[in-house]
Amino acid sequence: MSLQFIGIDPQTGDDESPTVWVDRDAQELVLQGWKPSAELEAECAATEVPGHGKGIPDGEAVIRIPARMVDMIRETCDAVERHVR
């Protein structure tokens, strides 16, 4: 795996570290975030989206990323897009 670190939550503390990377080999965004509350996860699992049934498939997870990291996520999107072309 060829991870390119993009950034970490600027307000991270010792015990929290929402982080964004690009996996250049897999051409994917890699996001580390907070686990959702049971209520939020249940709400996500209960929501049906076009083309998919309800639930969270095995191997997938709901995560939370602070809005203050939007610029880092944009940078990550740009970086992964550069490697896809």
Side-chain angles (χ1 to χ4, degrees), residues 2-7 20-29 71-85:
S2 176
L3 280 181
Q4 174 187 348
F5 171 77
I6 300 295
V20 293
W21 299 271
V22 170
D23 180 337
R24 287 180 266 173
D25 293 341
Q27 300 177 348
E28 296 174 341
L29 304 162
D71 287 340
M72 285 180 220
I73 294 169
R74 284 189 184 115
E75 181 181 345
T76 306
C77 292
D78 292 342
V80 78
E81 192 173 57
R82 282 192 297 272
H83 293 287
V84 170
R85 296 180 185 182

Side-chain angles (χ1 to χ4, degrees), residues 30 35 38 60 62-63 77-78 82:
V30 178
K35 292 180 180 180
E60 294 186 12
V62 174
I63 63 168
C77 292
D78 292 342
R82 282 192 297 272

Side-chain angles (χ1 to χ4, degrees), residues 53-71:
K54 294 180 181 178
I56 301 168
D58 289 342
E60 294 186 12
V62 174
I63 63 168
R64 296 172 44 242
I65 300 288
R68 62 184 165 265
M69 294 180 68
V70 166
D71 287 340

Side-chain angles (χ1 to χ4, degrees), residues 9-44:
D9 179 4
Q11 294 183 15
T12 193
D14 291 338
D15 296 328
E16 298 180 351
S17 55
T19 307
V20 293
W21 299 271
V22 170
D23 180 337
R24 287 180 266 173
D25 293 341
Q27 300 177 348
E28 296 174 341
L29 304 162
V30 178
L31 305 173
Q32 175 181 327
W34 299 307
K35 292 180 180 180
S37 66
E39 294 80 15
L40 177 59
E41 189 167 49
E43 183 177 348
C44 291

